[in-house]
Amino acid sequence: MIEYKPPHYKVEWKYDKNEDYKRYMGGQRHITGEGESINAQNIIIQFLPANVQDEKLRLNMDVIGEGEAIICSRGECRAGEWKKSSTSQRTQYYLDNGDAAPLKPGTTWIEVVRPIRNITISNYEL
């Protein structure tokens, strides 16, 4: 569970027997404007430093560099890290042992969060 603000944006991903993660927001299944459920085979929670940039509380997130991540695939979540050296490069994800993150083929959803967010994962200790 990721506690975004305001509270009705609280996000949960639930893993099912079909090896998909189902997205919930505010306690309800998250549905697209076309009425489709949001599902993914992999979830990455990427922690990014951010600063409030104006009076509307918009955030400026620092996407270049490296930092912590949680990588969830096949029903298991593991500690990891992300690295991105420039705006023209793709972000790379690694497990905490340095190996490339083993992602299942299919959709990967990346939840970008500030390190101050409360996160709860049933099989992962933060």
Side-chain angles (χ1 to χ4, degrees), residues 26-91:
Q28 304 292 319
R29 283 283 284 138
H30 194 169
I31 307 296
T32 67
E34 293 79 33
E36 300 289 325
S37 297
I38 296 178
N39 303 325
Q41 285 68 51
N42 308 288
I43 308 300
I44 296 175
I45 302 170
Q46 181 176 344
F47 297 93
L48 292 177
N51 297 310
V52 176
Q53 69 178 10
D54 59 24
E55 68 282 347
K56 293 183 180 182
L57 303 179
R58 290 183 283 199
L59 296 176
N60 181 24
M61 302 194 98
D62 192 3
V63 298
I64 307 301
E66 57 187 65
E68 293 181 47
I70 300 170
I71 300 157
C72 302
S73 186
R74 296 176 175 90
E76 181 181 359
C77 295
R78 297 176 62 185
E81 64 180 344
W82 62 270
K83 294 181 181 181
K84 184 172 180 157
S85 58
S86 71
T87 56
S88 63
Q89 299 296 312
R90 257 191 259 179
T91 304

Side-chain angles (χ1 to χ4, degrees), residues 5-16:
K5 290 186 179 179
H8 60 275
Y9 286 117
K10 178 176 73 173
V11 169
E12 294 179 82
W13 286 93
K14 296 182 182 179
Y15 189 71
D16 72 10

